């Protein structure tokens, strides 16, 4: 039996440590312990195996990668490229299927066929309609909404032309994509083609496979993900800075604790309204509870935290520990990042674990189907009642950690525009000016999952600390944002303690935290838009690849993360991943990802599990870009104080 890690070596999160200790005492299995018991397959980890046909699976040696080939003759580079490209296709499919769901829901609302949801941000709807090429002049809102919904849906099955969202990129980047043949025609088409090309006996040259994979990744970032984020904002509200509480301490001992975990915001949006429903509250009281405490988890939680300030229980690696509190009356899940083990674990406590989406059933779970487009409220009530009825079954295993952190989230690209530029002349100019004058060295997107193979939250937090110290503004999404929020980095007051003097001064003047929570993992498209706006604002080059910016996913675990990483590289952003990287070092394929891509895209991948080295790589890259822009020297201070902002607003 493998030796399990000591709890203090597993996580830096106090509440997680407390619950893991409780879980071990109670004899339950968690994903951290299973990670210790099941070592990763070294051949698979290096993508040195191929199982795409049934003459194999074939395995090559990472020590002598070119010594042999597979049964069909495929070499190590083909093996790796196929695996990597399929991860990109799977990630693109996940984000985009989510995006399609949002488009279908939006269309049903726009047509007036669905009264369970509404259009909350008509201004954004008009802006997005214009970006999608819809003539809005002389049309009423309903007509524009219907045309927008239809145009978004068409992006998935489109067979020719290009995905419209790509036109939001700087013109130089768009031209590069066009010239190289990287413009995705339609989202689904690129995923299907990637699956075809990586089938046995089709595309067997690593470089050519990756050309298709680059195109596929762009269909994710500027297609499926972008559509998902924009339509979600239109229906559920565009995020604005909002206060919330984060961590397992958000559970209430005397209330019905309801967790929504997954990714698609419509389920949690419905639950937000039902948590205040008088009849349901009366039922909760009749069941002996003081009320209903609605809590988000993972990215569903992120979606609603940044819009409604709904409390958030924690990130992907805290799902087990949420159940171990013994205080969760129902955990309802939809799609993505839901561990199968939660169904069995919930049986060790009193928690009802319920799947809600036709695309995600789990052995041992109850299933109540929730469709945004029809009878959503009725299904929502049924789900809420499962939690209320289960409140009386709480046993003596309840232990709610006391840790919860106050935070400010909700930094959409519109908000960043407003915060830095003022309400009447929202603009990225102050951000660019502060980068040019050196107060802000650059911007880093730190995103992605948590992974039981590394010390939970630690890599995220240490990386961000190093970046802040060096005046790098950090924009976050996904589970990484949750790690930093729990550690207290989304409080504007921390700027003085953790940031270099320039960044601290900017944050204090504007009143924003130096770590900006921008939403869920599908919301990384917000970062693409923000980067494009920085280029269009001027002074920092004419392509995203000119900007002093870098990306990182220090504790990633999902195929979606690979797709996100590739669409950032494809858009010109140097991107570093931690944990492990699915390549065999010293091969042509690895050399292409870590070097050769620069020639095609002006950016590359990098891999480094150590957060301090990772930070250095990102800062070195940012400095290199600053040097190329001729802004390494600090210029005269141009800081946006209230007076300057007032002048802008005149
Ligand atoms: S939930 S993809 S573990 S960020 Fe979006 Fe978190 Fe990664 Fe899932």
């Amino acid at each position: 039996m493998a030796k399990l890690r000591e709890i203090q070596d597993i996580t830096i999160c106090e509440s997680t440590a407390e619950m893991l200790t409780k879980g071990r005492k109670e004899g339950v299995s968690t994903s951290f312990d299973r990670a210790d018991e099941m070592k990763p397959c070294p051949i698979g980890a290096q993508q040195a195996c191929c199982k795409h046909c049934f003459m194999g699976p074939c395995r090559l040696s990472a020590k002598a990668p070119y010594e042999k080939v597979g049964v069909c003759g495929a070499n190590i580079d083909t093996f790796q490229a196929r695996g990597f490209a399929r991860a990109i296709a799977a990630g693109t499919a996940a984000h985009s299927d989510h995006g399609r769901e949002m488009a279908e829901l939006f269309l049903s609302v726009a047509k007036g066929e669905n009264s369970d949801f509404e259009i909350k941000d008509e201004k954004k709807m008009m802006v997005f309609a214009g970006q999608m090429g819809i003539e809005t002049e002389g049309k009423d809102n309903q007509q524009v909404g219907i045309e927008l919904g239809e145009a978004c849906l068409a992006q998935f099955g489109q067979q020719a032309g290009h995905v419209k969202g790509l036109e939001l990129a700087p013109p130089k980047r768009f031209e590069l994509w066009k010239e190289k043949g990287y413009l995705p025609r339609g989202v689904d088409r690129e995923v299907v083609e990637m699956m075809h090309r990586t089938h046995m006996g089709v595309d067997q040259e690593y470089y050519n496979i990756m050309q298709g994979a680059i195109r596929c990744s762009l269909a994710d970032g500027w297609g499926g993900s972008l559509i998902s984020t924009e339509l979600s904002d239109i229906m559920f509200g565009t995020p604005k800075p909002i206060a919330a509480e984060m961590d397992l301490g958000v559970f209430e001992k005397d209330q019905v604790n309801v967790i929504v975990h997954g990714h698609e915001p419509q389920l949690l949006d419905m639950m937000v309204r039902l948590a205040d429903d008088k009849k349901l509250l009366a039922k909760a009281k009749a069941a002996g509870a003081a009320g209903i405490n609605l809590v988000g988890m993972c990215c569903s939680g992120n979606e609603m935290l940044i819009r409604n300030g709904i409390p958030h229980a924690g990130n992907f690696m805290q799902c087990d520990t949420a159940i171990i509190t013994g205080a969760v009356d129902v955990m309802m899940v939809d799609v993505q990042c839901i561990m199968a083990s939660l169904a069995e674990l919930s049986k060790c406590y009193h928690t009802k674990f319920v799947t809600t989406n036709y695309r995600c059933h789990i052995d041992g779970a109850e299933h109540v189907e929730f469709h945004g487009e029809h009878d959503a409220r009725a299904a929502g009530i049924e789900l809420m009642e499962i939690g209320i009825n289960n409140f009386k079954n709480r046993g003596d295993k309840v232990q709610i950690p006391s840790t919860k952190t106050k935070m400010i989230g909700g930094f959409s690209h519109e908000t960043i525009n407003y915060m830095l530029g003022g309400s009447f002349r929202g603009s990225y100019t102050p951000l660019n000016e502060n980068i040019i004058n050196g107060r802000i060295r650059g911007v880093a997107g730190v995103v992605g999952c948590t992974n039981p193979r590394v010390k939970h939250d630690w890599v995220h937090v240490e990386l961000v600390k190093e970046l802040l110290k060096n005046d790098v503004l950090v924009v976050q999404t996904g589970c990484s944002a949750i790690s930093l929020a729990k550690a207290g980095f989304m409080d504007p007051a921390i700027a003085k303690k953790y940031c270099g003097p320039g960044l601290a001064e900017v944050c204090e003047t504007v009143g924003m935290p130096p770590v900006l929570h921008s939403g869920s993992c599908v919301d990384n498209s917000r970062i693409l838009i923000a980067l494009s706006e920085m280029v269009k604002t001027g002074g920092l080059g004419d392509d995203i690849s000119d900007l002093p910016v870098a990306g990182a996913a220090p504790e990633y675990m999902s195929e979606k993360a690979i797709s996100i990483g590739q669409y950032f590289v494809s858009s010109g952003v140097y991107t570093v991943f931690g944990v492990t990287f699915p390549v065999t070092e010293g091969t042509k394929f690895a050399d292409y990802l870590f070097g050769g891509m620069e020639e095609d895209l002006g950016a590359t991948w990098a891999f480094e599990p150590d957060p301090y080295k990772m930070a250095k790589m990102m800062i070195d890259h940012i400095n290199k870009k600053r040097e190329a822009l001729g802004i390494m020297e600090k210029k005269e201070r141009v800081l946006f104080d209230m007076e300057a902002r007032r002048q802008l607003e005149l």
Side-chain angles (χ1 to χ4, degrees), residues 95 261-263 297-300 302 315-317 335-338 447-451 477-482 519-522 524 555-561 564:
H95 287 138
H261 163 32
H263 279 80
M297 190 118 220
C298 272
C299 278
S300 279
N302 278 334
N315 52 30
F316 174 65
M317 285 313 299
V335 290
Q336 300 173 19
C337 305
I338 298 149
V447 306
C449 326
T450 47
N451 185 321
T477 61
C479 290
S480 181
I482 303 165
S520 66
C521 44
V522 86
N524 281 306
E555 300 184 21
Y556 86 102
M557 66 84 201
S558 75
E559 290 173 310
K560 288 187 294 169
I564 293 166

